[in-house]
């Protein structure tokens, strides 16, 4: 079965997200742990979480679901206060994720802001080592980035440099964003097998836990990160169908981050499910 969904609003609670996912025909979903452009967060409702966990088997959501850290979290910011803010935010998010155990927490590695990639990697690794616990039930995912500005994580080598320094290595994984890797220069259209071979050689496919499935408005290597609707960008529908059907990927949860509304996401989910080879 194709595990596919999109980002849903967490403002109404987990149970509401589960019901919304079912309405859209999704079998998983993603959500921001808090305001994606800020840092504010609402209190957890134990009754809502209990209802969500109870309904998961009946609403068609199988998981794992993929939480997303806010964009304001920059683990390698040049400002020490911003790094403390990022650390405390991740620590709190992971504590909250323990109420829905066995799922994923995805984050953008960060931007080094002219400090240099090596310094950025050191700061990111330091935060992960301060926050991760060997007993936590959540897998933290580094997201592949497009390489705009001073982003860290634009290459598989940069992600591996972070992973190699993390002490709780078994609590870490990677989320591959199709738009980001394409914009970053990886040819997932003409040589998907080659890209995955390179990923396996550099990081290891066992680390790959989720995929953000997006088309791109840009040509390969543009380093711009501009998502497009499925089949309406430079990656194209056929190439994205090869992604969801690839033997190394087809078992993973796929999350749509396309510029869409509910009817558009429902249509994309149905279109991709029809293209999935059971």
């Amino acid at each position: 079965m194709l595990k596919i969904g999109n980002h849903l609003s967490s403002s109404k609670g987990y149970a509401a997200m589960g019901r919304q996912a079912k309405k859209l025909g999704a079998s998983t979903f993603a959500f921001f742990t808090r305001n994606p452009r800020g840092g504010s967060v609402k209190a957890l409702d134990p009754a809502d979480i209990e209802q969500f966990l109870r309904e998961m088997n009946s609403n068609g959501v199988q998981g794992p679901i993929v939480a997303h850290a806010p964009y304001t979290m920059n683990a390698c910011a040049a400002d020490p206060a911003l790094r403390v803010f990022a650390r405390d935010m991740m620590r709190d998010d992971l504590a909250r994720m323990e109420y829905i155990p066995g799922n994923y927490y995805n984050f953008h590695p960060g931007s080094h802001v002219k400090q240099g990639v090596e310094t950025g990697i050191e700061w990111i690794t330091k935060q992960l080592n301060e926050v991760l616990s060997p007993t936590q039930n959540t897998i933290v995912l580094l997201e592949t980035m497009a390489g705009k500005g001073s982003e860290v994580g634009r290459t598989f080598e940069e992600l591996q440099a972070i992973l190699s320094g993390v002490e709780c290595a078994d609590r870490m994984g990677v989320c591959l964003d199709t738009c980001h890797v394409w914009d970053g220069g990886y040819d997932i259209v003409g040589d998907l097998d080659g890209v995955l071979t390179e990923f396996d050689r550099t990081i290891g496919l066992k680390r790959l836990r989720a995929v953000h499935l997006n088309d791109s408005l840009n040509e390969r290597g543009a380093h711009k990160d501009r998502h497009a609707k499925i089949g309406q960008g430079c990656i194209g529908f056929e190439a994205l169908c090869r992604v969801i059907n690839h033997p190394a990927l087809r078992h993973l949860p796929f999350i749509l981050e396309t510029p869409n509304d509910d009817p558009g996401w429902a249509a994309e989910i149905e279109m991709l499910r029809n293209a999935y080879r059971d």
Side-chain angles (χ1 to χ4, degrees), residues 146-201:
K148 69 180 188 296
S150 60
E151 285 180 338
V152 178
R154 69 185 67 198
T155 66
F156 299 156
E157 287 79 9
E158 289 182 10
L159 294 177
Q160 176 55 25
I162 297 169
L163 292 168
S164 64
V166 176
E167 295 165 2
C168 296
D170 64 335
R171 299 293 87 194
M172 291 294 301
V174 173
C175 175
L176 186 147
D177 186 301
T178 54
C179 171
H180 293 178
V181 294
W182 171 258
D183 278 27
Y186 292 96
D187 188 6
I188 60 171
V189 174
D191 190 18
L192 178 60
D193 283 340
V195 172
L196 293 177
T197 296
E198 183 175 350
F199 185 98
D200 192 33
R201 182 175 60 248

Side-chain angles (χ1 to χ4, degrees), residues 32-42 67-75 80-98 105-108 127-128 130-132 140:
F32 283 102
T33 54
R34 57 188 68 216
N35 184 336
R37 301 292 179 184
S40 60
V41 62
K42 63 184 294 185
H68 200 306
Y71 299 126
T72 50
M73 191 176 79
N74 186 3
L82 293 179
R83 294 198 301 272
V84 170
F85 174 75
R87 181 201 62 199
D88 292 347
M89 186 184 298
M90 179 179 281
R91 181 175 286 147
D92 183 57
D93 279 352
L94 291 179
R96 295 162 69 91
M97 288 295 293
E98 289 298 291
Y105 177 78
N106 177 75
F107 79 106
H108 293 183
Q127 172 171 310
L128 290 167
E130 290 177 346
V131 170
L132 296 186
V140 175

